[in-house]
Amino acid sequence: MKFGIFYEHQLPRPWAADSEYQLFQDSLTQIELADRLGYHYAWEVEHHFLEEYSHSPSPEVFLGAASQRTKNIRLGHGIVQLTTNHPARVAEKIATLDLLSNGRVELGLGEGASVTELHPFNLRFRDKRLVWEDAVRCTLPMFWNHGWEYHGPFYDFPLRAIIPKPKQKPHPPLWVACSQLDTIKYAAHRGMGALCFKFVDLAAARAWVNAYYHSFLDDQEKLTDYATNPNIAVVAGFMCCETDEEAWRKADGWTFFQFALQLYNKEGPFKPGSVSIWEKYEAWKTTPEGQARSGSELIGSPATIRARLRELAASHVDQVILLNQAGKNKHEDICASLELFAREVMPKFVADEPAHQQWKDAVLRREIVLDHIDTDPFNTRSRLKLSQPPSAEVRDMIAGAVGRPRSSTID
Amino acid sequence: MQTLVLVPGLLCDERLWSHQTRYLGDVAHCLVPDAGTANSISGLAESVLAQAPPKFALAGLSMGGIIAHAIMALAPERVERLALISTTARADTAEQTSRRQRLIEMTEQGRFAEVTPLLVPALLHPTRQDDAMLTGQLLSMATRIGPATFLRHVHAIIGRPDRRVQLAAYAVPTLVLVGREDAITTLEMHEEMAQAIPHARLAVIEECGHISTLERPHAVTALMRLWLTG
């Protein structure tokens, strides 16, 4: 098993004058520490306009800085929004980062999360999957063809020399963002790694892993001639302390991650500065749903976390992405947690990696046939209750921005 | 609709052409003939001709291309288009024959299962040699072909003639297709064919080894579509 850390650049209110500065500097320090401690991946999201939830619209700039302060850790775009970036700019930026980092880029590909971030780029929510697929076909061959042109339904790109080329050949490993669990099968269908940003119950992990490989082997249909990347990474809430109580106290706001994204998806867009997402989160946290623990969090003592990781390892998940920078988790606590986990928990699971790789190769060669397990019982979509639908005023604001009739329904 | 006859290479079956048969169905009826049991290239060519309609477009990869050259000698009037993929018009060199003899000996010693793993480094582009699913597909096809057919085919390949003298007589639209990093049938061998065949177009696929139909299926299918409809 491999371990990653995850950066959304969450910044709950209230803010001080240098909050964003401090957030970015602390994150770089944490990634530098993680690199020294032997963590394998640092993942950075791309989101636009989602205040408090994610102040990370330019991951390639941030990862470029991280590349110069680290030696071994893989630098993951978790993800690049193919819908809001021009294909040639994606190919150029990724290749540049791959050269700067000596071939350490992992390339997650995403669609963008909500109308809040899609509409300003003249994209309809309902088109995002089709645009994403067209962008994959247009963008990826730029990594291995010197000259490339593409003529598809959404992108029309004339013949140009695409430079530079990435250090990794033919391109960095590819992943798909899975914000819903059933996207795991879609990632396999496209021959890419699954980056699961929705929390996977321990009980469900085996079902999803098996479903992934069944789709990868028997339903694979790549969009163009990229290299496949059979891999499953799952995000988990994380804080490792001497005792369970201390860990839960220090990771008190970790579910802000899921809450804020769902809020933007269902109630956004908000007028800039009109809503304190953190205050809404604190109110939600007093509800039974907000109090619930799944039992899958990697929050607790080394012994507690080890027991849960053993279950994930038995399911043959490839990577666990530790959601360390979440809510109002403090920099000092994050660093101490990374150190304790690296010392007390990580070595045993990393040592099992060669055996896991052997298992995976045998599955891919069809020497091991996995059980079919029904994933439907585990396919829980978010159940966050809407407080109220977006107001007519907010709908007009957005409709005007994308040139649609005012007060029409926004998808 | 025209028929496209797709002839597989050594140790391969119809799965070698799975992307093409799936995505060229709107422009051609795709037919992958049985490997056949002959132990000469002309015998294998006759077997393909026996399974094909009176007129057809013909594509062959590696040994399939060698069989295609034999068909162009036996029945050129039946071939309307020709695609020569990862193949050669030359005869075996002494060194190539000696390497094949070692594979024959291994197989006769009951070590057929070791043949494909031994070949993989030469078959695939370096970036794909660790692709367990792809190497698994090659193993699976080889297992289905089996040692007896393998031995007949290797003997046929060793005994093939040099076809370069006949290339100038090919009078149909011809696609000559090669992966840039093909380690078995090189770019130079394809340039030689494309220069000698009057209506040939040479296409080079980047980041691609010998098994282009599986390594870069989208690129191969797109080029074959242009060839079939051009």
Side-chain angles (χ1 to χ4, degrees):
Chain A
M1 182 176 277
K2 293 184 175 175
F3 294 96
I5 52 175
F6 187 68
Y7 286 88
E8 196 112 34
H9 287 158
Q10 295 181 10
L11 194 61
R13 280 191 169 86
W15 300 334
D18 66 346
S19 291
E20 286 180 328
Y21 169 81
Q22 201 56 51
L23 175 71
F24 280 62
Q25 298 303 324
D26 288 347
S27 297
L28 283 173
T29 303
Q30 291 159 23
I31 291 172
E32 205 177 344
L33 172 66
D35 182 47
R36 280 204 304 277
L37 293 170
Y39 288 82
H40 304 92
Y41 297 80
W43 294 96
E44 175 78 20
V45 305
E46 175 179 342
H47 280 303
H48 301 274
F49 322 121
L50 306 181
E51 52 180 323
E52 297 190 64
Y53 170 59
S54 175
H55 293 227
S56 181
S58 304
E60 70 282 356
V61 178
F62 179 79
L63 292 173
S67 76
Q68 300 307 296
R69 290 175 58 162
T70 55
K71 288 192 170 59
N72 299 309
I73 198 165
R74 306 281 303 170
L75 302 171
H77 273 279
I79 47 64
V80 173
Q81 291 184 358
L82 287 189
T83 48
T84 65
N85 290 279
H86 188 277
R89 297 290 291 128
V90 173
E92 291 165 349
K93 288 189 284 192
I94 295 301
T96 302
L97 180 61
D98 205 47
L99 293 169
L100 287 174
S101 66
N102 193 19
R104 287 189 279 143
V105 174
E106 299 281 322
L107 179 51
L109 304 171
E111 300 170 354
S114 67
V115 297
T116 303
E117 53 187 347
L118 291 171
H119 281 179
F121 294 100
N122 286 326
L123 282 156
R124 295 188 304 184
F125 189 85
R126 72 173 82 111
D127 293 336
K128 67 181 188 139
R129 173 60 58 82
L130 291 173
V131 174
W132 183 90
E133 291 184 346
D134 204 40
V136 168
R137 291 192 185 96
C138 181
T139 306
L140 294 179
M142 293 175 175
F143 288 129
W144 63 80
N145 290 299
H146 181 66
W148 177 244
E149 64 183 299
Y150 179 79
H151 308 286
F154 294 95
Y155 293 101
D156 198 68
F157 184 74
L159 182 62
R160 291 291 186 274
I162 310 297
I163 50 170
K165 293 292 184 231
K167 178 134 192 322
Q168 298 177 89
K169 303 296 180 192
H171 52 74
L174 304 177
W175 302 77
V176 178
C178 304
S179 53
Q180 297 295 342
L181 290 173
D182 46 10
T183 315
I184 291 170
K185 291 182 202 171
Y186 178 79
H189 175 56
R190 294 309 186 196
M192 299 184 189
L195 275 178
C196 307
F197 294 144
K198 191 168 167 83
F199 305 114
V200 176
D201 286 340
L202 293 177
R206 184 185 297 272
W208 287 111
V209 169
N210 288 14
Y212 177 88
Y213 283 107
H214 282 299
S215 181
F216 195 93
L217 285 164
D218 299 325
D219 186 33
Q220 192 185 115
E221 198 175 333
K222 291 198 286 185
L223 291 161
T224 182
D225 287 334
Y226 44 80
T228 54
N229 180 33
N231 258 301
I232 302 174
V234 298
V235 168
F238 175 67
M239 182 64 76
C240 184
C241 297
E242 293 299 339
T243 66
D244 290 354
E245 294 71 27
E246 183 189 352
W248 276 101
R249 196 168 62 246
K250 290 181 172 172
D252 184 49
W254 80 277
T255 48
F256 184 68
F257 166 80
Q258 198 87 340
F259 173 87
L261 182 60
Q262 289 177 18
L263 192 75
Y264 271 111
N265 282 344
K266 299 196 170 180
E267 296 188 21
F270 303 113
K271 251 185 172 172
S274 66
V275 174
S276 167
I277 311 286
W278 182 258
E279 280 178 18
K280 279 180 173 275
Y281 170 68
E282 290 213 303
W284 172 77
K285 266 189 72 187
T286 62
T287 66
E289 192 188 356
Q291 290 284 315
R293 292 180 185 182
S294 73
S296 303
E297 305 90 354
L298 300 177
I299 295 173
S301 67
T304 300
I305 292 177
R306 267 195 295 270
R308 289 177 182 173
L309 277 177
R310 273 196 288 271
E311 289 189 56
L312 278 176
S315 304
H316 295 288
V317 164
D318 292 282
Q319 181 185 161
V320 175
I321 302 174
L322 306 166
L323 180 58
N324 50 328
Q325 194 267 316
K328 292 195 174 184
N329 290 3
K330 292 192 178 71
H331 173 63
E332 304 71 36
D333 295 340
I334 292 168
C335 292
S337 172
L338 287 173
E339 296 212 36
L340 182 62
F341 182 86
R343 194 170 62 240
E344 300 284 332
V345 181
M346 204 158 73
K348 162 75 176 72
F349 293 94
V350 173
D352 292 340
E353 180 63 13
H356 170 67
Q357 285 300 328
Q358 279 182 0
W359 174 88
K360 186 154 81 171
D361 283 354
V363 170
L364 292 168
R365 287 195 299 262
R366 300 175 190 270
E367 293 160 9
I368 293 175
V369 178
L370 302 178
D371 297 336
H372 281 278
I373 305 174
D374 186 5
T375 51
D376 283 348
F378 307 115
N379 194 11
T380 47
R381 291 211 157 228
S382 58
R383 290 196 204 88
L384 181 69
K385 288 186 185 69
L386 284 173
S387 54
Q388 56 187 25
S391 68
E393 186 193 0
V394 167
R395 292 210 307 273
D396 282 351
M397 181 178 82
I398 293 306
V402 297
R404 291 200 202 163
R406 289 178 178 265
S407 291
S408 63
T409 305
I410 294 170
D411 46 36
Chain B
M1 191 187 285
Q2 63 188 325
T3 296
L4 169 61
V5 174
L6 298 154
V7 189
L10 187 67
L11 290 173
C12 294
D13 59 23
E14 74 284 353
R15 286 172 283 180
L16 181 72
W17 300 102
S18 53
H19 196 271
Q20 291 71 42
T21 49
R22 183 165 178 188
Y23 291 104
L24 292 172
D26 59 323
V27 291
H29 167 64
C30 294
L31 172 71
V32 183
D34 267 10
T37 54
N39 61 1
S40 70
I41 291 296
S42 56
L44 292 167
E46 279 166 12
S47 166
V48 171
L49 284 166
Q51 297 170 63
K55 300 267 190 188
F56 54 91
L58 175 63
L61 185 146
S62 196
M63 179 186 75
I66 291 169
I67 295 169
H69 284 302
I71 290 172
M72 292 305 286
L74 287 168
E77 72 286 355
R78 291 178 62 184
V79 178
E80 293 177 315
R81 296 172 193 275
L82 177 65
L84 299 164
I85 305 175
S86 311
T87 192
T88 181
R90 300 179 191 176
D92 248 11
T93 62
E95 190 201 340
Q96 285 170 323
T97 298
S98 125
R99 279 205 299 268
R100 294 189 210 281
Q101 289 292 359
R102 285 203 292 279
L103 298 179
I104 290 171
E105 283 162 25
M106 279 175 68
T107 305
E108 286 172 346
Q109 290 163 4
R111 294 158 60 203
F112 174 65
E114 296 170 36
V115 168
T116 296
L118 201 66
L119 293 176
V120 161
L123 291 174
L124 300 176
H125 187 275
T127 59
R128 288 188 196 91
Q129 295 186 4
D130 295 329
D131 184 332
M133 187 171 160
L134 184 55
T135 56
Q137 283 173 336
L138 295 177
L139 280 169
S140 170
M141 288 194 290
T143 304
R144 167 129 46 105
I145 297 294
T149 302
F150 170 69
L151 287 175
R152 284 195 291 272
H153 287 175
V154 177
H155 284 297
I157 289 169
I158 288 173
R160 76 185 188 277
D162 191 323
R163 297 284 183 185
R164 282 177 287 188
V165 287
Q166 72 183 43
L167 298 178
Y170 293 5
V172 293
T174 302
L175 171 66
V176 178
L177 200 162
V178 61
R180 168 94 51 197
E181 290 84 12
D182 188 332
I184 295 179
T185 53
T186 60
L187 175 58
E188 184 201 351
M189 295 178 193
H190 292 78
E191 285 170 341
E192 179 180 75
M193 289 189 287
Q195 278 160 18
I197 298 169
H199 305 286
R201 183 183 168 195
L202 176 69
V204 183
I205 298 182
E206 304 296 337
E207 300 279 335
C208 185
H210 189 61
I211 309 292
S212 54
T213 52
L214 293 180
E215 292 188 63
R216 296 287 314 277
H218 289 80
V220 173
T221 302
L223 287 162
M224 289 183 74
R225 175 177 290 279
L226 288 172
W227 161 71
L228 286 166
T229 58

